[in-house]
Amino acid sequence: MRRPATVLADRGYTYLTPWGPSIIGQGIEQYLDLHPVQRKTGPGPRPGTIWVDGQLYSDALPERMWELPGYRMGMTSDERAELAARYDEREPYRFTDYGAPEPGTGKVRLRGPAVTGRVRCDNTPSSKRLKRTASRPTTSCRPGRPCGCSVTVVLDPEDGYARTFQRVGFGTTAWQAAYWRRSAVESTNAELRVNRTNLTKWSIRVRGRARVGLMLGFLLGAMNVLMACDWLGTDWADLEAADELPPKFVRRPPRKAAQHRLRPAEPRAG
Ligand SMILES: [Zn+2]
């Protein structure tokens, strides 16, 4: 069975279970919501670095951006977009990775925002010379006073970073797009367990992942037909009368394949 490439986990998982290292170590990408307890600010692993909402930033991050309100139920899409824009403002100051965490060890290498030209910092002259950084925010770092903007760090899962590690900034527009795919997953679960079919603990009576997977495949197929019936306002039994099927249910071969089949067989050259 294929290993999942991405996990979308809510705060119930990230906070209450030993979350993180095993996911990161298997090379699975994670997008997480955080428990209020995990939403904090603290000193990072190197001078000039800080943890904010489980992610590493240069301490050049303006203080007004350190604590932002969380998303709450019932927000309108405008309100969500407005709040996401406040999280997006933090992005230039965030440490970014050289690549996904190393499979197996789960170690990850992060580089400071002036190294990658995400901010312009007086302590990293190259960040101010590059043309592509011209439109980037300039930090208030003072020359000679050490800051974290050009630091490079290697984080080890044993240090506890993996629990809240995400490759996009928490709360940002990009995070929303990635994490909120979870609501689609939840509504499919609800369709399976309550709305269309009643999948319970004893519904599938075979053992082994492959067999259970196969049974689930049948169940998902049936669920899709039920949803299609509701959508079209027809009943399951109506679909048996093939001539009455709405065009969507008649599987036609692609036109090219059909033409190919109709063509008389050509004698093979040579
Ligand atoms: Zn700096």
Side-chain angles (χ1 to χ4, degrees), residues 58-60 114 119-124 139-142 145-150:
S58 163
D59 64 0
V119 293
R120 294 153 54 86
C121 167
D122 276 341
N123 289 323
T124 313
T139 65
S140 55
C141 305
R142 270 184 256 129
R145 185 190 154 270
C147 66
C149 301
S150 58

Side-chain angles (χ1 to χ4, degrees), residues 227-260:
M227 287 171 75
C229 289
D230 278 359
W231 181 49
L232 293 161
T234 53
D235 190 67
W236 173 282
D238 297 341
L239 293 180
E240 287 175 9
D243 335 334
E244 292 166 23
L245 288 186
K248 271 180 196 290
F249 286 92
V250 181
R251 189 170 177 278
R252 291 197 179 89
R255 202 189 306 159
K256 269 194 178 170
Q259 280 169 355
H260 182 79

Side-chain angles (χ1 to χ4, degrees), residues 30-185:
Q30 58 179 8
Y31 296 97
L32 315 166
D33 192 12
L34 303 177
H35 190 274
V37 174
Q38 294 173 308
R39 301 210 44 205
K40 56 189 177 187
T41 305
R46 295 274 296 274
T49 63
I50 48 170
W51 290 110
V52 179
D53 292 341
Q55 294 182 303
L56 196 62
Y57 289 82
S58 163
D59 64 0
L61 179 72
E63 231 171 294
R64 66 180 172 84
M65 300 183 196
W66 288 19
E67 281 180 35
L68 296 179
Y71 292 93
R72 51 183 171 71
M73 300 286 277
M75 284 175 96
T76 65
S77 53
D78 282 351
E79 285 169 338
R80 280 208 304 265
E82 217 170 277
L83 184 52
R86 292 176 67 188
Y87 282 95
D88 289 347
E89 247 192 307
R90 279 178 179 176
E91 274 297 81
Y93 302 88
R94 188 168 64 84
F95 275 64
T96 47
D97 55 69
Y98 278 89
E102 193 178 79
T105 66
K107 287 183 183 175
V108 71
R109 197 162 178 217
L110 301 180
R111 51 199 168 166
V115 181
T116 46
R118 290 160 75 89
V119 293
R120 294 153 54 86
C121 167
D122 276 341
N123 289 323
T124 313
S126 63
S127 69
K128 301 192 83 171
R129 282 199 300 266
L130 298 171
K131 199 177 170 191
R132 66 188 163 89
T133 64
S135 59
R136 289 300 184 145
T138 302
T139 65
S140 55
C141 305
R142 270 184 256 129
R145 185 190 154 270
C147 66
C149 301
S150 58
V151 168
T152 301
V153 290
V154 175
L155 300 177
D156 192 300
E158 285 185 12
D159 307 331
Y161 93 88
R163 201 176 171 94
T164 54
F165 178 76
Q166 316 193 46
R167 297 186 72 191
V168 296
F170 171 77
T172 57
T173 306
W175 175 85
Q176 280 202 50
Y179 176 73
W180 281 353
R181 287 176 291 173
R182 195 182 159 80
S183 59
V185 176

Side-chain angles (χ1 to χ4, degrees), residues 173-202:
T173 306
W175 175 85
Q176 280 202 50
Y179 176 73
W180 281 353
R181 287 176 291 173
R182 195 182 159 80
S183 59
V185 176
E186 291 293 2
S187 52
T188 304
N189 281 346
E191 296 291 354
L192 259 182
R193 295 177 61 175
V194 187
N195 299 349
R196 316 276 168 178
T197 58
N198 187 16
L199 178 65
T200 65
K201 193 175 173 187
W202 305 111

